[in-house]
Amino acid sequence: MSEKAVKTTTYEFFGPVGALTLTIMLPLTVIGLYVMCGAGTCDIRIPTLPCWPDFWHPHAYSIFVLWFIFHALIYLSPLGKTVEGSKLRDGSRLKYKINGLYAYVISHIIFAVVYFYFKLPVSFVYDHYLAFAMASTVLSFALAVYLYAKSFAPGAVLALGGNSGNVLYDWFIGRELNPRLGLFDWKTFCEMRPGLIGWVIINYCMMVKQYEIHGVISNSMMLVCFFQFWYILDTFWFETAILTTMDIVHDGFGFMLAFGDLAWLPFTYSLQARYLVDHPTHLSWFACVLIFAFNMVGYLIFRLSNSQKDLFRRSPDHPSVRDLATLSTERGTKLIVSGWWGICRHPNYVGDLVMALAWSLPCGFSNVLPYFYVLYFAPLLIHRQFRDEHHCKEKYGTDWDKYCKIVKWRLIPGLY
Ligand code: NDP
């Protein structure tokens, strides 16, 4: 068997049964959150079931498709720069388009023109939220089928974890590592564009809806929208960092990532803003300052730790990282054992979790549903950490065990 098509012998996510369960449960969760926290109500116990027309609106489906195409065109445009990605198993490196910041700025300009100049009713997104979520779900299913079929084209480099031979599992996990259409890289595009920017724009639509209903924008809504705007701005500012993440380097592109990027992320991560439309919590200035400071602490941990590792990987002789204590490995690369990466094995996840909590706090304490993001994100990151450590063990062998003896704590020193 060629190096491009190594057979997968171990399953993740409990194999085909887990893949089937997640394929059903993830879209149901998106729908469930909508019915529990819909217009005027937010209660985990009394869901008002949606009617079939709620799932469909021709404008919602058309807007979603146009949004997707619009971002594909920006992605393929001459804007931005082209950089090389990580080395693949066959020794080659793919070229990637880096122009997400342009896409982000252009999307903001278009939203402002549509709302302030053309005065179009952008709160339509709130009114037909489920139809938008369904449009993205349908597209994710279709895209995953296309990607699975495409992975059988000659020369496709398969993901180490996505070639088990079980159709459902491989379709779910992603068979091909970097599916492309010419220069168009499906995985980085879907990870970084329509869903991520869509999330922030959905938040703005929620803000407008809150204003239409209550005649005021609550400070809690402003905080949530600002925090999430900032998080995505940071993602695009450091866009090249995506090229070394597990999703891009290791995972195939199948239903799990497609649905996660296009449907799950924009339509569950915007839950706090949607909640605030009908429950416009007004915070004291003291509470605003505290929550803002808490978010910034999380952001600093997240940003400084990620930047420290990125800089060390790119330029180990840079003055701000050259004095870090490191562990040399047989693989040739070094592992940092001081600074942020000496405190615990995933300081960046800790910062991300602190921010996740800060995004829910503006919603107050009277309802658990706006805390869905942090409650789901904590197990996700813990699971992700196990997956990453498993890959690191495979990459570094006994050197990884030595590293774990030096940096004992996974996330929180003294606790975990
Ligand atoms: P990391 O950025 O933490 O990358 C892990 C890799 O870093 C390892 O495989 C290893 O690769 C390298 N590494 C680990 N420890 C060390 C060390 N001590 N010294 C040097 N290199 C080390 O993981 P992710 O890709 O999972 O996450 C990236 C960011 O994305 C995180 O901040 C995370 O919070 C965020 N994220 C956000 C999500 C969301 O939905 N909001 C979802 C998932 C992630 P190697 O040695 O080969 O370089």
Side-chain angles (χ1 to χ4, degrees):
M1 187 167 296
S2 83
E3 174 58 15
K4 287 182 174 182
V6 178
K7 191 88 181 160
T8 303
T9 48
T10 49
Y11 283 134
E12 293 185 276
F13 300 97
F14 302 106
V17 174
L20 179 64
T21 310
L22 286 171
T23 301
I24 296 167
M25 289 312 293
L26 293 176
L28 280 183
T29 308
V30 173
I31 299 170
L33 286 172
Y34 171 81
V35 291
M36 284 188 278
C37 207
T41 167
C42 198
D43 197 324
I44 205 162
R45 292 161 306 173
I46 323 163
T48 347
L49 291 178
C51 316
W52 282 115
D54 294 341
F55 289 91
W56 164 257
H57 194 295
H59 293 165
Y61 279 66
S62 315
I63 292 170
F64 182 78
V65 171
L66 280 177
W67 178 252
F68 193 90
I69 295 172
F70 162 69
H71 277 288
L73 291 176
I74 299 183
Y75 183 87
L76 288 170
S77 74
L79 290 170
K81 58 181 179 179
T82 304
V83 302
E84 280 196 334
S86 306
K87 204 191 260 182
L88 298 176
R89 293 202 304 282
D90 62 4
S92 65
R93 285 178 195 270
L94 293 173
K95 287 193 168 21
Y96 289 90
K97 203 65 198 277
I98 299 293
N99 60 11
L101 203 51
Y102 286 99
Y104 198 43
V105 172
I106 294 170
S107 302
H108 276 77
I109 294 171
I110 287 185
F111 179 82
V113 170
V114 162
Y115 179 61
F116 292 109
Y117 185 74
F118 290 109
K119 301 198 185 313
L120 292 182
V122 295
S123 54
F124 177 84
V125 174
Y126 173 89
D127 300 332
H128 297 280
Y129 198 83
L130 193 55
F132 279 99
M134 282 305 103
S136 60
T137 303
V138 170
L139 186 93
S140 312
F141 268 95
L143 181 60
V145 171
Y146 160 75
L147 293 169
Y148 180 76
K150 189 187 165 314
S151 70
F152 289 93
V157 177
L158 303 188
L160 287 178
N163 187 28
S164 70
N166 182 292
V167 177
L168 174 69
Y169 182 81
D170 294 349
W171 168 83
F172 174 83
I173 224 77
R175 196 163 176 271
E176 189 173 351
L177 185 60
N178 303 110
R180 289 187 155 213
L181 204 61
L183 275 180
F184 186 76
D185 187 89
W186 282 105
K187 190 163 53 169
T188 45
F189 171 74
C190 290
E191 283 245 329
M192 295 294 277
R193 302 303 165 79
L196 215 54
I197 302 178
W199 168 25
V200 175
I201 300 296
I202 290 172
N203 280 350
Y204 298 156
C205 297
M206 301 300 117
M207 193 190 256
V208 169
K209 184 72 185 182
Q210 193 194 51
Y211 184 72
E212 284 173 5
I213 298 177
H214 304 282
V216 66
I217 298 171
S218 68
N219 52 13
S220 50
M221 178 67 97
M222 288 184 204
L223 277 182
V224 166
C225 289
F226 174 74
F227 289 160
Q228 299 181 350
F229 155 82
W230 184 260
Y231 186 69
I232 301 306
L233 180 65
D234 174 274
T235 305
F236 287 123
W237 197 266
F238 298 97
E239 190 179 358
T240 47
I242 184 84
L243 302 179
T244 54
T245 60
M246 194 199 310
D247 296 2
I248 303 302
V249 176
H250 188 272
D251 291 343
F253 191 38
F255 179 73
M256 182 177 74
L257 276 185
F259 179 80
D261 297 339
L262 300 174
W264 180 268
L265 189 147
F267 294 99
T268 64
Y269 288 21
S270 56
L271 183 63
Q272 291 103 340
R274 197 155 62 82
Y275 172 83
L276 289 171
V277 170
D278 293 301
H279 309 83
T281 318
H282 296 283
L283 303 165
S284 66
W285 280 109
F286 183 64
C288 283
V289 170
L290 268 189
I291 295 172
F292 189 85
F294 188 61
N295 184 73
M296 289 324 282
V297 168
Y299 174 72
L300 286 175
I301 298 172
F302 166 86
R303 176 46 39 224
L304 295 175
S305 57
N306 272 326
S307 291
Q308 188 173 65
K309 176 162 70 69
D310 288 345
L311 184 60
F312 181 78
R313 279 281 174 260
R314 274 185 292 110
S315 344
D317 295 326
H318 190 280
S320 47
V321 288
R322 70 176 170 220
D323 295 328
L324 289 170
T326 56
L327 175 80
S328 299
T329 68
E330 279 181 23
R331 188 172 180 246
T333 49
K334 289 180 176 174
L335 289 165
I336 309 168
V337 293
S338 66
W340 287 104
W341 296 84
I343 301 172
C344 66
R345 284 182 236 154
H346 266 106
N348 49 354
Y349 288 4
V350 176
D352 225 337
L353 280 171
V354 170
M355 281 190 283
L357 182 57
W359 300 349
S360 300
L361 288 174
C363 300
F365 298 108
S366 58
N367 203 311
V368 70
L369 278 168
Y371 287 80
F372 172 80
Y373 177 65
V374 64
L375 292 174
Y376 128 87
F377 200 45
L380 176 124
L381 285 185
I382 289 170
H383 178 248
R384 193 176 170 93
Q385 192 207 332
F386 275 107
R387 291 185 75 213
D388 185 51
E389 295 211 359
H390 175 73
H391 298 147
C392 286
K393 174 78 184 148
E394 279 178 351
K395 277 188 284 192
Y396 291 109
T398 52
D399 288 326
W400 185 253
D401 299 330
K402 281 186 214 157
Y403 168 72
C404 292
K405 275 198 186 120
I406 302 170
V407 185
K408 288 194 189 69
W409 301 103
R410 292 191 175 100
L411 289 179
I412 303 171
L415 209 65
Y416 176 73

